[in-house]
Amino acid sequence: MVPQVAGIATEDDNVQMFASPVQDTGQTFNKLSQYRQSEAPYVLSIALFVGALLISFVVNFRKPEVLPTSGFQWFAGKFTVIASLAVAQAILLSLITVILGTPVASIFSLILFAIFVSITFVAIVQLFVSVLGLIGKFLAGTLILVQLQLTGGPLPIELLPAGVQGISPLLPMTYAIEGFKSVINLGQFDGGSILALFLFLVIFAAATLVYFLVTFSRKRDQFDETESVTA
């Protein structure tokens, strides 16, 4: 059968329909001026988690700096030290991000959120390392590798295989990335991400506190003997 093309109407409307059968009627709410704006949240989240793990190689998460009088004092002393380092690395990374020319809607908001994320991440690493030592460091490193692909960095979570999409909400970096996107591109804090990260912070810090309380009660005699000798 020979196609009959001579009879096709060639008015302007028909030609335009074939040339552009579909038109985009969407509205752009937040246009990114540079590619690095989309990558910065992912890179910052990874850097802060890796930095939290590196802190565990610099600071002994178990050995108290001074003889503790209680498990809470032991925990508070260690957490204060590593949290201070977490704040320092968050400020440094935020400033480097700005110096490298990444457009940031609010530098102040970026620094505040980075500090919050950094403290949350060191609280997570502290539990692993305090309880499990070298094995904990290995598990924390493994957790970083798991989060590389499942937290909406390289690919949106919606494009991940259906079988692993349910894991993403259980990973802290998922909320760190979402929070950084909001802070960097909009200059606003994402309430849902902050709440989720706060829950991670409270749960892991509380678990670490329980570990120190239990460990102190078991080693109370050793601490008392050491204190009496030094006195």
Side-chain angles (χ1 to χ4, degrees), residues 36-89:
R36 69 181 66 184
Q37 284 179 270
S38 63
E39 287 297 305
Y42 179 58
V43 174
L44 279 171
S45 299
I46 295 174
L48 289 174
F49 212 118
V50 172
L53 180 58
L54 291 178
I55 290 174
S56 69
F57 289 93
V58 177
V59 179
N60 190 319
F61 280 15
R62 286 180 175 174
K63 184 178 179 181
E65 301 298 327
V66 296
L67 290 176
T69 58
S70 66
F72 179 82
Q73 183 191 36
W74 190 2
F75 164 78
K78 303 306 295 186
F79 187 78
T80 300
V81 172
I82 64 175
S84 300
L85 295 175
V87 171
Q89 77 160 359

Side-chain angles (χ1 to χ4, degrees), residues 45-53 121 124-125 140 143-144 147 172-173:
S45 299
I46 295 174
L48 289 174
F49 212 118
V50 172
L53 180 58
F121 286 172
I124 295 173
V125 174
L143 180 59
I144 295 175
Q147 294 182 106
M173 200 179 291

Side-chain angles (χ1 to χ4, degrees), residues 41-172:
Y42 179 58
V43 174
L44 279 171
S45 299
I46 295 174
L48 289 174
F49 212 118
V50 172
L53 180 58
L54 291 178
I55 290 174
S56 69
F57 289 93
V58 177
V59 179
N60 190 319
F61 280 15
R62 286 180 175 174
K63 184 178 179 181
E65 301 298 327
V66 296
L67 290 176
T69 58
S70 66
F72 179 82
Q73 183 191 36
W74 190 2
F75 164 78
K78 303 306 295 186
F79 187 78
T80 300
V81 172
I82 64 175
S84 300
L85 295 175
V87 171
Q89 77 160 359
I91 295 175
L92 179 61
L93 283 173
S94 299
L95 294 178
I96 290 176
T97 300
V98 176
I99 292 172
L100 291 178
T102 302
V104 176
S106 173
I107 299 176
F108 181 70
S109 298
L110 172 63
I111 293 175
L112 285 182
F113 186 72
I115 290 174
F116 176 59
V117 171
S118 186
I119 293 176
T120 301
F121 286 172
V122 296
I124 295 173
V125 174
Q126 185 186 22
L127 176 62
F128 282 109
V129 177
S130 297
V131 176
L132 300 174
L134 290 176
I135 297 177
K137 294 180 181 180
F138 173 78
L139 292 178
T142 302
L143 180 59
I144 295 175
L145 296 178
V146 170
Q147 294 182 106
L148 292 181
Q149 298 296 328
L150 301 181
T151 52
L155 287 175
I157 295 175
E158 292 77 13
L159 297 181
L160 296 174
V164 298
Q165 287 187 18
I167 301 177
S168 298
L170 304 177
L171 302 174

